[in-house]
Amino acid sequence: MKNNKHVKMLFLGGNYLKLMLTLFMCVIATNMSAQESLVTGKVTDNTAMPLPGVNVHVKGSTKATQTDFDGNFSINVPSKGILVFSFIGMDEVAVETENKKNLKVVLKPSSQVLDEIVVVGYGIKKKSDVISSVASVKADDLIKVATSDVGEMLRGKAAGVQVTLSDGGPGSSSSIQIRGKKSINGSNEPIVIADGIVIGSINDINANDIASLEILKDAAAQSIYGARASNGVILITTKRGKAGKAKIAYNGFSGVQTVNRNFDIYSGEEFAQLKREAYRTSNNGVYRPDNQVFSPLELESVQSGKYIDWEEHIMRTGVTNNHSLSVSSGTDKTSIFTSLNYINTTGVIPNSDFEKVAMRINVDQRINNWLKIGMNASLQFSESNNPNSGNVLNNSISNDSRVGNILSYSITTSPLGRIYNDDGSYRHLPGGIQETPNPLIDIYETTLNETSRNDIMNVFLDINILKGLTYKLNTSRRSWNYKGMAFNTSKSLSGIANSGQGSGSISFRDNVEYQISNILNYNFKVAEKNHFAVTGVQETTTSEYNDFRNSASRIPSDILGIYGLESAFLNTPEIGGNERSLISFAGKLEYDFDSKYYFTVSGRADGSSVFGKNNKWGYFPAVNAAWNVYKEDFITEHAPVISNLKLRASYGKVGNQPQNPYQSMASANQRDYIINGIKVSGFIPGNQLSNPDLKWETSTQLNLAVDFGLFKNRLSGTVEVYDTDTSDLLIYEALNANTGYTTKLSNLGKVNNKGLEISLNSELIKKKDFSLNLGATFTKNKNSIVSIYGKDTNGDGKEDDAVGNLWFIGKPIDVYYQYKAVGIYQIGETIPVITGTTLLPGDIKLYDANPSNGATPNPDEDRVITSKMPDWFGTVSLSMKYKRFDFSADVYTVQGITKDNAYLYGYVQGGSLRGVKNGIKQNYWTPENPGGNWPRPRDGNDPPYMYTLGLQDASYIRLQNVSLGFTLPENTLQSLGLTNLRLYVTGSNLVTITDFQSYSPEKNVGDYPEPVTCVIGLQVGF
């Protein structure tokens, strides 16, 4: 970003927030009672250490304050008043103040971590009262990871939650999947809800603003959210201001980034020999002279021994910076939390960078004892620059399709030749070979600039109607704007290919979404031990999306860059847009007896505009129950070692809808005609048939779980099993072309997910100056297709597979299906004759299932179905504190996963052994090396069946995160006027152990891999 853009963005954001605050806030005078008296005091823990930040409030009123750095406080209290002292991790204390002017209060550590507050559907609960599958992730654990991607911060933090990198470049993001893949054509991403409002992405929130994060995993927890909840729900609560002295907090880090690769490529000498071998194969096993194998430029390198190290020129060390500043303040009536976050990252590819500015303001205003109003507002501005890989913008642009391709060039570009011309300019073809152009040209002669703005305005109203009865109105507006501009100069590779003319494109997109929620909660007791809670919700959501794109080719001049599109020989504009709406009603009834026995029933009805006119509505009920066994007398008397034992069971349904609207309607295509010399447009039927019966995709889940704690919860954990059936899948059904249509979106088939999740945490050592905690998670999910089209055309009593779509009954949704390689043909071995393919010694041998060749009579055994899903994944986490030092480390593993590695066989990716492109070094077969496990090189064509060698074990173990910190002692902080100062160093993705030969076992070839990041950071509190 340019400096003037920074200023414009900051002022724009500041004015916007100022305007919102001015319109929202009003000054309310507070009447002071004449019967109040000032009470002072000090709060300490049970070791006599002062406790700063303790909440002190007058019971039965809204008056409150907080203790200062030394634990001191002062507050006006009515006569015969009661002060309540509360602090996270401490037992609450209430003190009568009659005839008392100075208090000494001691808070003790809570004996039950089960009293922690957990956010659930449209409310909060004590952890001990939660009976659904809800995973909580501590905010402090999130910000220990050196990244700006909140999704990546979640990796390994909760069982059942799989995080994979969508894009590892600057401004990266991750894909989150909860309890396996459930949909074929629908979305598989969870919805993210921040402060009660559905947001577009988890990265719409600054990690430093998060107060709590919960993940709803079972249908009973999700059903109250109904629509879009079939893939799980992530609930985020942002920080709020508190009564007392204003607090300022800073957290920032700066560091470097690199990428690792788990393979070697051919050196210059080795590549030259590979090329000789390729030409030898096509010359009846006789080596050709070097002047017949190499171009003049290549021969110059071979003879001089001067080869090109493309990695040295294409890659660099990246730099990342992340700075966050927040201010929190409040009185007994008003509280404000504001924050500013700035992120700047330069990637490992030259000319790639990302910049982001995010601002937030949360305001709470207590009007009187029955009315509170509030506002949450956030704005984000981001800009990224990347080399464009020679292609103009399309509907979906990501760093993977741009910089990742350029990263691959460091592997695949031939090391033979010269980078520069004699005048210092980049040589178009370094080796004189058309197939290997100079990748540095596109790094410096192409650009892709993307800017976006994301703002969320949320205004809410809380009313205490009667004792236990509350009403909340929650309204929001969320908007997103995007602009992308790509330009390839006349000197770029595409410009050279188009007679020295440039090309480019420009894209504008925006989305606006409105949400209104009306929420009623009623809590009451009957005979003290019978607790009831009733929740009623009505919600309306509408959104509008617009998209404009224009691609241009043969731009005659580079002077104006992208702004010269209007002079292009050909401009191709495209415009699109859609609207969608959702109306919902939900209810929940909760009952517990004496905090021992729990029962909940809930339901939600959703009406969506995206479905057919006959099935707009979906209904999603759920029921769950739990038993706090540890509270029974027979446990407390005979097994006091058990500090927590809860049995849980739930059963419910949740819904999923198409990712795009209008899928229930028939499509039409525009056709232009010339009538009387005048162009007119008309429409003809498209290829998609309407489906007025299109309805919700529904997931039905059974969840069984046990929560346990031993030795006062020094050892605790959860074991859960689940079984999910997703029916009425949204599948594009192929139609007979004679109908005039070729496809229709229908509700067909069923998918099943079964799983086991284990979470363990132990406090191995817990002393005043030293503590050691060890935690672990384990997740196993089995995904399988139960039904597709329900047809049995061959009459064998089994439902037919959809082989063309790679869908097989009893197998996972995502599989590979291909021939099986069993070795390399040797000299003297009988080689079968295959029509259209000439096989030679050194070529790949496939498994032969032909009975005429003596194989078992099963023609399908030569093809193998291989799952793309892992067998299991998990984490081991260690945290340790010694006096003022803290240390944490996470080891993450994914096991039993297979990926297709095009680096091993693809021509473009360098795996074809033609001697044109470089690639991963392999032990290839030659007559002198018959033990080679890779086929013999050959020029002109790839060795037959090379793709069968592409499947590779992608299991890995990774040192995911390591952090070491030091916090200054209290006396030093006090002398500096600070409440906290912590220095830390953090490393992410430091070591990955895998057999997968690529930059990352998670990413596909050509994708931008996750970086290795090392940072130094500082946390300061005032």
Side-chain angles (χ1 to χ4, degrees):
M1 296 182 183
K2 302 295 188 291
N3 290 333
N4 62 333
K5 289 187 179 180
H6 289 160
V7 174
K8 186 185 296 184
M9 285 164 54
L10 288 170
F11 272 98
L12 175 60
N15 290 334
Y16 187 45
L17 288 175
K18 219 182 296 181
L19 176 61
M20 293 189 295
L21 187 58
T22 302
L23 293 175
F24 178 78
M25 294 297 298
C26 59
V27 179
I28 300 175
T30 304
N31 295 322
M32 301 298 295
S33 171
Q35 297 180 350
E36 291 182 345
S37 60
L38 182 67
V39 175
T40 62
K42 185 172 185 175
V43 182
T44 65
D45 63 11
N46 58 346
T47 65
M49 292 296 295
L51 287 176
V54 175
N55 291 315
V56 184
H57 77 271
V58 179
K59 187 175 182 179
S61 78
T62 60
K63 184 169 295 184
T65 186
Q66 285 187 328
T67 58
D68 62 15
F69 177 79
D70 298 315
N72 298 318
F73 70 92
S74 61
I75 188 172
N76 287 310
V77 183
S79 59
K80 300 183 179 181
I82 296 177
L83 284 179
V84 179
F85 300 83
S86 59
F87 191 70
I88 296 175
M90 300 286 187
D91 286 329
E92 187 176 272
V93 172
V95 179
E96 295 182 355
T97 61
E98 185 177 10
N99 300 322
K100 296 177 182 177
K101 299 296 183 183
N102 189 271
L103 301 176
K104 291 184 178 180
V105 181
V106 177
L107 298 185
K108 296 180 180 180
S110 175
S111 59
Q112 293 291 340
V113 296
L114 302 177
D115 289 337
E116 294 176 3
I117 296 299
V118 175
V119 180
V120 293
Y122 300 100
I124 60 174
K125 283 187 174 298
K126 288 183 178 180
K127 189 175 182 180
S128 58
D129 291 333
V130 173
I131 64 174
S132 300
S133 182
V134 180
S136 296
V137 181
K138 295 180 180 179
D140 289 343
D141 291 337
L142 294 175
I143 59 176
K144 286 181 180 179
V145 184
T147 179
S148 59
D149 177 18
V150 181
E152 185 66 16
M153 295 177 185
L154 282 177
R155 184 190 292 263
K157 297 294 191 299
V161 180
Q162 185 176 14
V163 178
T164 54
L165 199 70
S166 295
D167 169 15
S172 61
S173 62
S174 294
S175 174
I176 303 172
Q177 195 172 97
I178 299 174
R179 292 190 166 180
K181 187 173 183 178
K182 305 175 184 69
S183 181
I184 292 178
N185 288 311
S187 171
N188 283 283
E189 292 279 329
I191 59 171
V192 183
I193 298 174
D195 298 320
I197 299 301
V198 177
I199 61 176
S201 165
I202 197 169
N203 286 328
D204 291 350
I205 302 294
N206 171 18
N208 291 278
D209 293 346
I210 295 176
S212 67
L213 187 149
E214 276 78 29
I215 303 168
L216 310 187
K217 298 189 292 182
D218 71 339
Q222 301 161 0
S223 65
I224 192 77
Y225 290 105
R228 298 177 289 179
S230 64
N231 303 309
V233 182
I234 297 176
L235 298 178
I236 294 175
T237 303
T238 58
K239 295 177 180 178
R240 316 205 70 78
K242 295 181 180 179
K245 183 181 177 181
K247 292 184 177 181
I248 301 174
Y250 166 81
N251 182 23
F253 60 76
S254 297
V256 296
Q257 293 184 329
T258 61
V259 294
N260 283 341
R261 69 182 194 190
N262 182 42
F263 56 86
D264 293 320
I265 63 175
Y266 297 102
S267 66
E269 294 88 348
E270 292 167 336
F271 180 76
Q273 185 58 31
L274 168 65
K275 191 160 188 171
R276 293 187 183 102
E277 289 292 345
Y279 276 77
R280 175 192 182 189
T281 302
S282 62
N283 195 38
N284 296 319
V286 179
Y287 285 112
R288 294 177 183 270
D290 277 0
N291 60 3
Q292 295 182 19
V293 174
F294 302 104
S295 70
L297 285 170
E298 289 179 319
L299 190 59
E300 180 182 316
S301 285
V302 172
Q303 293 175 343
S304 66
K306 295 180 180 179
Y307 304 107
I308 304 172
D309 183 350
W310 287 107
E311 183 175 302
E312 177 184 341
H313 295 275
I314 290 176
M315 299 175 63
R316 66 182 180 185
T317 299
V319 178
T320 182
N321 298 279
N322 191 326
H323 305 282
S324 185
L325 180 69
S326 66
V327 180
S328 175
S329 63
T331 66
D332 57 347
K333 293 287 187 180
T334 305
S335 63
I336 300 177
F337 173 85
T338 60
S339 70
L340 177 67
N341 180 225
Y342 174 71
I343 299 169
N344 179 280
T345 302
T346 58
V348 297
I349 302 297
N351 286 346
S352 66
D353 60 70
F354 174 80
E355 224 170 354
K356 179 179 177 180
V357 176
M359 293 168 282
R360 168 171 292 276
I361 180 167
N362 292 346
V363 182
D364 296 278
Q365 177 67 52
R366 172 67 66 179
I367 304 300
N368 50 43
N369 60 359
W370 59 268
L371 176 62
K372 185 178 83 170
I373 57 176
M375 178 189 70
N376 307 310
S378 66
L379 295 97
Q380 293 184 356
F381 307 89
S382 66
E383 180 174 359
S384 65
N385 291 285
N386 286 286
N388 183 29
S389 60
N391 300 313
V392 295
L393 286 173
N394 52 43
N395 289 334
S396 178
I397 294 295
S398 70
N399 284 337
D400 284 358
S401 62
R402 303 188 303 265
V403 184
N405 286 336
I406 292 176
L407 192 65
S408 293
Y409 295 155
S410 66
I411 302 172
T412 62
T413 307
S414 167
L416 309 181
R418 288 191 291 161
I419 297 177
Y420 304 101
N421 293 310
D422 293 338
D423 61 1
S425 60
Y426 290 117
R427 182 179 291 276
H428 175 214
L429 304 175
I433 306 298
Q434 190 67 37
E435 290 90 340
T436 56
N438 193 330
L440 297 177
I441 293 176
D442 269 356
I443 291 180
Y444 298 102
E445 295 295 336
T446 69
T447 58
L448 176 53
N449 174 270
E450 296 176 287
T451 60
S452 67
R453 178 182 64 84
N454 192 339
D455 64 79
I456 303 173
M457 165 68 82
N458 169 215
V459 177
F460 61 89
L461 176 76
D462 286 335
I463 299 176
N464 294 319
I465 302 173
L466 298 170
K467 182 180 180 181
L469 179 60
T470 63
Y471 165 74
K472 182 170 187 174
L473 172 65
N474 207 4
T475 65
S476 71
R477 178 189 185 274
R478 181 176 66 88
S479 67
W480 172 77
N481 299 89
Y482 166 89
K483 179 174 71 174
M485 296 186 295
F487 186 69
N488 308 315
T489 73
S490 60
K491 298 178 181 178
S492 67
L493 295 180
S494 65
I496 294 171
N498 287 284
S499 304
Q501 292 182 309
S503 61
S505 63
I506 189 166
S507 175
F508 296 96
R509 306 173 205 164
D510 66 78
N511 186 82
V512 180
E513 183 169 290
Y514 296 91
Q515 179 178 323
I516 299 177
S517 302
N518 296 281
I519 307 166
L520 275 172
N521 282 296
Y522 184 39
N523 296 273
F524 61 97
K525 297 180 182 179
V526 176
E528 288 300 321
K529 292 187 177 182
N530 297 277
H531 307 116
F532 294 87
V534 181
T535 301
V537 180
Q538 186 279 320
E539 274 184 346
T540 302
T541 303
T542 62
S543 66
E544 180 179 346
Y545 172 80
N546 294 287
D547 185 352
F548 172 78
R549 303 177 300 278
N550 185 79
S551 300
S553 59
R554 296 174 61 183
I555 302 174
S557 173
D558 296 336
I559 295 176
L560 297 178
I562 190 65
Y563 296 101
L565 259 65
E566 61 185 21
S567 64
F569 176 80
L570 179 63
N571 275 292
T572 307
E574 296 179 69
I575 190 168
N578 62 64
E579 295 181 2
R580 64 193 304 162
S581 59
L582 181 74
I583 185 168
S584 308
F585 299 90
K588 180 167 62 173
L589 173 62
E590 301 171 273
Y591 169 75
D592 81 78
F593 176 78
D594 199 23
S595 297
K596 290 183 182 179
Y597 315 108
Y598 299 84
F599 179 79
T600 298
V601 59
S602 63
R604 179 162 174 141
D606 289 301
S608 175
S609 63
V610 304
F611 290 108
K613 64 180 181 179
N614 299 333
N615 283 306
K616 294 291 186 184
W617 287 87
Y619 303 94
F620 311 105
V623 61
N624 54 330
W627 177 22
N628 263 337
V629 185
Y630 79 98
K631 289 192 174 183
E632 299 291 351
D633 292 341
F634 63 84
I635 294 293
T636 56
E637 293 176 6
H638 302 292
V641 69
I642 299 176
S643 47
N644 178 36
L645 180 60
K646 183 194 293 182
L647 305 180
R648 297 187 279 112
S650 68
Y651 182 82
K653 297 177 180 290
V654 286
N656 198 10
Q657 55 185 327
Q659 298 187 59
N660 299 313
Y662 314 131
Q663 297 302 296
S664 65
M665 304 170 67
S667 61
N669 297 328
Q670 180 179 328
R671 288 292 183 268
D672 298 331
Y673 303 91
I674 304 297
I675 300 177
N676 295 327
I678 300 175
K679 178 183 176 181
V680 295
S681 294
F683 292 88
I684 63 172
N687 62 351
Q688 182 167 318
L689 180 64
S690 63
N691 183 2
D693 296 320
L694 191 69
K695 61 183 178 181
W696 291 85
E697 195 173 80
T698 303
S699 293
T700 304
Q701 184 177 103
L702 172 67
N703 191 87
L704 302 175
V706 55
D707 304 318
F708 65 89
L710 304 173
F711 314 111
K712 294 185 179 180
N713 289 313
R714 293 285 294 273
L715 175 63
S716 61
T718 297
V719 179
E720 296 193 71
V721 293
Y722 62 88
D723 190 335
T724 306
D725 282 321
T726 303
S727 57
D728 296 323
L729 296 174
L730 297 165
I731 294 179
Y732 286 99
E733 183 180 6
L735 303 178
N736 190 323
N738 293 334
T739 64
Y741 300 92
T742 59
T743 185
K744 179 179 74 171
L745 185 61
S746 302
N747 295 104
L748 301 168
K750 180 187 291 187
V751 169
N752 178 263
N753 279 274
K754 291 183 176 71
L756 169 66
E757 298 169 0
I758 301 174
S759 299
L760 297 172
N761 187 66
S762 62
E763 296 179 343
L764 299 179
I765 301 174
K766 188 177 181 181
K767 296 183 178 180
K768 179 180 178 180
D769 289 334
F770 182 66
S771 65
L772 178 64
N773 287 17
L774 185 66
T777 66
F778 171 87
T779 300
K780 182 176 180 62
N781 175 269
K782 182 181 179 182
N783 172 266
S784 60
I785 296 175
V786 179
S787 176
I788 307 172
Y789 298 117
K791 300 177 181 178
D792 180 15
T793 56
N794 59 7
D796 63 353
K798 298 179 181 179
E799 183 177 338
D800 296 341
D801 298 322
V803 179
N805 292 318
L806 299 184
W807 298 334
F808 301 91
I809 305 299
K811 300 297 182 180
I813 293 176
D814 295 323
V815 298
Y816 302 105
Y817 181 56
Q818 61 185 44
Y819 291 105
K820 179 170 64 175
V822 294
I824 302 294
Y825 285 114
Q826 301 295 325
I827 296 174
E829 187 174 357
T830 300
I831 300 177
V833 178
I834 299 176
T835 303
T837 302
T838 301
L839 296 177
L840 303 172
D843 284 338
I844 296 169
K845 180 194 300 184
L846 298 183
Y847 178 85
D848 188 358
N850 189 340
S852 63
N853 294 333
T856 56
N858 188 346
D860 294 328
E861 286 190 2
D862 60 345
R863 291 220 174 181
V864 180
I865 300 173
T866 306
S867 171
K868 297 182 181 181
M869 307 302 295
D871 288 340
W872 64 275
F873 59 92
T875 307
V876 175
S877 301
L878 175 72
S879 62
M880 181 173 57
K881 286 187 178 180
Y882 176 69
K883 293 185 177 180
R884 312 306 298 176
F885 290 92
D886 62 88
F887 173 82
S888 64
D890 298 323
V891 176
Y892 182 74
T893 183
V894 177
Q895 294 296 318
I897 185 171
T898 300
K899 288 181 67 69
D900 183 60
N901 189 350
Y903 278 141
L904 303 181
Y905 65 87
Y907 171 69
V908 174
Q909 294 79 16
S912 69
L913 300 178
R914 292 194 198 180
V916 176
K917 293 181 179 292
N918 204 354
I920 295 176
K921 188 191 301 185
Q922 303 292 352
N923 179 22
Y924 54 80
W925 188 96
T926 66
E928 296 77 21
N929 182 36
N933 59 359
W934 225 248
R936 184 178 189 176
R938 59 165 69 182
D939 75 305
N941 293 296
D942 298 348
Y945 310 119
M946 276 287 288
Y947 68 90
T948 62
L949 301 180
L951 297 187
Q952 197 171 40
D953 182 9
S955 303
Y956 68 92
I957 300 174
R958 173 178 292 160
L959 182 57
Q960 186 69 30
N961 197 71
V962 176
S963 184
L964 175 65
F966 175 76
T967 303
L968 266 62
E970 283 82 358
N971 55 353
T972 305
L973 292 172
Q974 186 175 8
S975 65
L976 296 173
L978 304 175
T979 59
N980 178 52
L981 194 153
R982 176 177 177 265
L983 297 166
Y984 63 91
V985 292
T986 297
S988 297
N989 302 322
L990 293 178
V991 179
T992 300
I993 302 172
T994 182
D995 292 330
F996 191 73
Q997 293 177 291
S998 183
Y999 281 105
S1000 168
E1002 277 194 1
K1003 302 301 296 171
N1004 295 321
V1005 169
D1007 293 348
Y1008 203 123
E1010 63 273 24
V1012 177
T1013 304
C1014 296
V1015 303
I1016 299 176
L1018 175 67
Q1019 294 174 332
V1020 182
F1022 298 89

